[in-house]
Amino acid sequence: MPEKDEPAQSRRLTVLAVLPFATMAAVAVADLATGPSLGFLPLISVGPAFAPLVGGWRRTACIGVIALLLSAGLGWYNDLIDARRGYMAIASVIGVTVAGLVAVSMRERREAQLDSFRSIAEAAQRVLLKPVPRLAGHLRVAVSYMSAVAEARIGGDLYEVVAFPGGVRVIVGDVQGKGLEAVETAAVVLGAFREAAPDEADLVRVGRRLERAVDRQLDGEKFVTAILAEVSDERVTFLNFGHPAPMLIRVEGTVDLPEPPAYALPLGLGAHGAEPPEPFHADFLPGDQLLLYTDGVTEARDVDGRFYPLPDRAHLLKERDAEAALETLRQDLLQHVSGPLQDDAAMLLLRYR
């Protein structure tokens, strides 16, 4: 969501930058208009009070000097330069400016620490969700990820694409919850998939490896919905762990939502003794498109509370370039919600070369 927030943030910064000068100008005009009887002069210190909100210590000190000169000038104009009120106004400006400089120093120190933490987090995020290859085997791949957490690149959703001797295997999943615990669980799932996908003989064995890894990590307290797909020989095989159905867009424009014979429990709930998921198949021919996604897409609501109608938006994936097509769909999703997403939203698009 950074694209939608940048104009609003820029406007807020502009307002905060202008606020000290506008405040001092308003106080000066009011003081000149009413004279010394109403005592507007001490309010000049409000300008330096707003100064630490934006910029560094030089800007704060400069605004303090301007306020000091303005107080002295208005005090002289009102014959208060030698009076107690004039001294108090000047003292207020000096005191507020010094406090502002201390506040700026503390804010800049915290911002430096935050930048350091953010750089470390971004490095960890790049390791966890590595950029998927644009070409994997005989497929073109495009991915879109939008985190519901402000300024975060990843959250509880996950995806990966791995080529193996028989074709390409992919996973898209959604971890219950948010924050660092969700990221840690996503790392477990992705690590297990990256290790198992190139080596196991079939998708069912890959799924079992994931179940064992998640059961060891989560101990039945949380869960992960996930869908695995294996594309080979113009056919796609799915393994669904309680995840939203994939969307197949045929070359003629029709939309299919393949579903398993019976839905299985998500990863991490194996202790409940439910039946494991059964693989199911669908044709995937040249010209077709396969979109895997998380429920942050289909459960995104507009201002009237209506869910995003993903199958009705399949026609937006008509661009020749897969990344451009997925970007068109992403922008439509953002336009639908008209604000920040309430949940992470991941989409992964597969096409034949």
Side-chain angles (χ1 to χ4, degrees):
M1 299 295 292
E3 295 84 351
K4 293 179 73 66
D5 290 343
E6 282 179 0
Q9 183 177 2
S10 178
R11 287 193 296 270
R12 286 194 296 268
L13 291 176
T14 301
V15 171
L16 292 177
V18 173
L19 190 58
F21 303 101
T23 302
M24 291 187 294
V27 171
V29 170
D31 188 79
L32 291 173
T34 61
S37 59
L38 294 181
F40 280 105
L41 186 58
L43 294 180
I44 290 291
S45 61
V46 176
F50 287 128
L53 297 176
V54 179
W57 68 267
R58 290 185 179 87
R59 181 177 183 275
T60 301
C62 180
I63 293 175
V65 170
I66 294 174
L68 187 62
L69 294 175
L70 194 56
S71 295
L74 290 174
W76 174 81
Y77 179 79
N78 292 323
D79 292 327
L80 297 175
I81 195 66
D82 294 327
R84 179 180 299 178
R85 190 188 301 176
Y87 290 137
M88 291 299 297
I90 292 174
S92 296
V93 170
I94 294 174
V96 171
T97 301
V98 171
L101 291 172
V102 174
V104 167
S105 175
M106 296 176 63
R107 174 173 59 81
E108 289 181 341
R109 188 179 300 114
R110 287 195 299 268
E111 288 177 350
Q113 292 175 343
L114 182 60
D115 288 340
S116 176
F117 294 152
R118 185 179 291 118
S119 64
I120 295 172
E122 288 180 351
Q125 290 170 347
R126 286 193 295 269
V127 172
L128 178 58
L129 279 185
K130 298 181 294 186
V132 299
R134 296 187 63 181
L135 299 176
H138 54 288
L139 299 177
R140 294 187 183 275
V141 183
V143 67
S144 170
Y145 192 100
M146 293 172 285
S147 175
V149 180
E151 297 186 7
R153 293 185 179 179
I154 64 171
D157 288 1
L158 57 97
Y159 55 83
E160 184 57 287
V161 178
V162 175
F164 76 109
V168 175
R169 287 171 175 163
V170 304
I171 182 174
V172 171
D174 185 358
V175 180
Q176 176 200 17
K178 294 182 176 66
L180 293 178
E181 290 186 0
V183 174
E184 182 180 2
T185 303
V188 172
V189 176
L190 287 172
F193 179 78
R194 288 165 180 163
E195 182 181 352
D199 300 329
E200 293 294 349
D202 56 56
L203 205 59
V204 173
R205 294 187 179 183
V206 176
R208 289 173 184 166
R209 292 270 293 271
L210 295 183
E211 287 182 293
R212 289 195 296 268
V214 174
D215 287 341
R216 287 195 301 268
Q217 171 71 20
L218 300 185
D219 197 24
E221 296 181 356
K222 292 183 178 293
F223 61 85
V224 182
T225 69
I227 185 165
L228 281 64
E230 176 182 297
V231 181
S232 59
D233 299 328
E234 298 188 353
R235 189 178 76 160
V236 57
T237 301
F238 298 105
L239 201 63
N240 194 322
F241 292 90
H243 199 75
M247 187 168 75
L248 273 169
I249 305 103
R250 302 299 181 185
V251 64
E252 65 272 12
T254 59
V255 176
D256 294 333
L257 299 172
E259 296 189 2
Y263 272 92
L265 290 177
L267 296 166
L269 300 181
H272 294 273
E275 292 294 324
E278 297 182 13
F280 56 104
H281 313 280
D283 293 333
F284 187 46
L285 307 175
D288 293 344
Q289 301 183 79
L290 173 61
L291 183 70
L292 305 178
Y293 53 92
T294 59
D295 60 9
V297 176
T298 52
E299 294 182 3
R301 298 173 183 263
D302 63 10
V303 293
D304 297 321
R306 293 173 296 192
F307 291 119
Y308 183 66
L310 181 60
D312 296 339
R313 298 294 199 271
H315 65 277
L316 297 175
L317 297 171
K318 60 185 178 181
E319 297 281 349
R320 292 180 59 87
D321 181 73
E323 292 183 343
L326 196 57
E327 176 63 18
T328 300
L329 185 63
R330 188 180 80 92
Q331 291 298 331
D332 185 71
L333 174 62
L334 294 177
Q335 185 176 0
H336 176 81
V337 298
S338 300
L341 292 174
Q342 299 302 311
D343 193 7
D344 301 330
M347 295 183 288
L348 190 146
L349 179 66
L350 299 178
R351 290 177 173 177
Y352 277 98
R353 291 194 187 185

